[in-house]
Amino acid sequence: MIITNTLCNYMSIELHNLKPVYMSDTEISVSDIYLQESVLFEQGKNYLIKANSGRGKTSLLNFIYGCNNNFNGTITYNGLPNHNMFDYRKSKLSYVFQDFKLFPELTVFENIQLKNTLTSNKTIAEINSLLDEVLLGDKKDSLVGKLSLGQKQRVAILRSLCQPFEFLLMDEPFSHLDKENINIISNIIRSEVKKQNASLIQTSLDESALFSFDKILNL
């Protein structure tokens, strides 16, 4: 019998006894994630991380993305510690930051194109089409610093989709969007995640009905 190695090529992220150094054991005693012996995220499945403000949601995603190392415990990628996060951020991990991490002195198109230039994941026509879908086509050449919070959030989300990824991390991604824009952009996210056979890890203050989650974890 021939066994394909497709599943073996799927990415996994595993957390072992993870604990932010700035939180006490008491603060995270009821967490489904922190201080747990093993928490596994598998490519192709969607996860919701639910918690009130100040419970470490942003910290968790920053730990996974490798931009904050202020934790005890270990994080492994496909069973191994990773020492070169650049490669992972280029093709395996994409991140919608809660504070966007956009460049205010660059235009909307230039911000989106930053990651895409490294990977050529989307054509210019595809980027323009996405901008039109999220009602930002007329803002393509506007400086990001002059946009509203909702417009910036849409730009940040589009930027995250214009690169290859196996896990899409989203930190309260719809906090500045109205219902119409949430519906539009959640459909785009759903389509892109499915196209890339990727996983979604989203943080939220409460349960979200926008996506079908395989697992909901309380932080």
Side-chain angles (χ1 to χ4, degrees):
M1 180 174 65
I2 298 175
I3 301 176
T4 64
N5 64 351
T6 303
L7 290 177
C8 297
N9 292 331
Y10 279 15
M11 183 177 175
S12 65
I13 300 170
E14 192 165 7
L15 318 179
H16 305 270
N17 300 302
L18 202 69
K19 176 184 178 294
V21 297
Y22 38 83
M23 296 183 77
S24 68
D25 289 5
T26 303
E27 288 179 285
I28 55 178
S29 61
V30 296
S31 173
D32 293 333
I33 294 177
Y34 290 140
L35 288 180
Q36 298 301 314
E37 184 176 346
S38 174
V39 178
L40 182 66
F41 299 104
E42 298 175 288
Q43 183 181 345
K45 295 183 178 181
N46 294 333
Y47 303 86
L48 177 66
I49 312 298
K50 186 165 68 75
N52 293 329
S53 297
R55 304 300 298 176
K57 298 188 299 298
T58 296
S59 293
L60 175 64
L61 296 190
N62 286 345
F63 297 156
I64 292 173
Y65 196 64
C67 59
N68 182 346
N69 295 315
N70 293 317
F71 62 87
N72 297 320
T74 59
I75 300 176
T76 58
Y77 306 82
N78 293 335
L80 299 170
N82 187 64
H83 302 294
N84 184 6
M85 290 306 295
F86 175 80
D87 288 341
Y88 272 73
R89 293 172 188 166
K90 181 179 178 181
S91 62
K92 297 182 182 299
L93 297 175
S94 193
Y95 192 179
V96 182
F97 294 90
Q98 189 179 96
D99 59 356
F100 314 140
K101 294 289 190 292
L102 298 171
F103 295 91
E105 71 279 9
L106 299 181
T107 67
V108 167
F109 185 83
E110 288 168 340
N111 268 276
I112 293 172
Q113 184 72 327
L114 281 174
K115 273 287 186 76
N116 192 60
T117 300
L118 295 174
T119 62
S120 299
N121 190 55
K122 300 286 187 187
T123 65
I124 291 177
E126 286 174 323
I127 293 174
N128 286 333
S129 177
L130 286 171
L131 285 168
D132 287 338
E133 281 190 69
V134 300
L135 312 178
L136 288 177
D138 61 337
K139 300 291 184 181
K140 171 184 172 181
D141 298 317
S142 298
L143 295 179
V144 160
K146 297 185 179 298
L147 300 183
S148 70
L149 285 175
Q151 290 169 334
K152 289 177 183 176
Q153 193 158 49
R154 280 176 276 165
V155 173
I157 292 171
L158 289 191
R159 182 184 61 182
S160 74
L161 301 178
C162 289
Q163 69 163 86
F165 59 84
E166 295 174 4
F167 278 84
L168 176 62
L169 314 177
M170 301 201 307
D171 192 7
E172 297 186 41
F174 310 120
S175 55
H176 299 289
L177 301 182
D178 58 33
K179 186 175 180 180
E180 178 186 5
N181 279 299
I182 289 174
N183 288 335
I184 291 171
I185 208 152
S186 61
N187 284 332
I188 295 172
I189 292 169
R190 195 177 294 108
S191 174
E192 195 65 34
V193 168
K194 182 177 180 181
K195 185 188 305 181
Q196 300 210 38
N197 197 25
S199 273
L200 179 67
I201 302 179
Q202 179 191 337
T203 66
S204 179
L205 294 171
D206 48 32
E207 290 197 22
S208 169
L210 290 169
F211 303 103
S212 176
F213 292 103
D214 296 280
K215 197 166 189 179
I216 297 175
L217 298 160
N218 292 296
L219 198 58

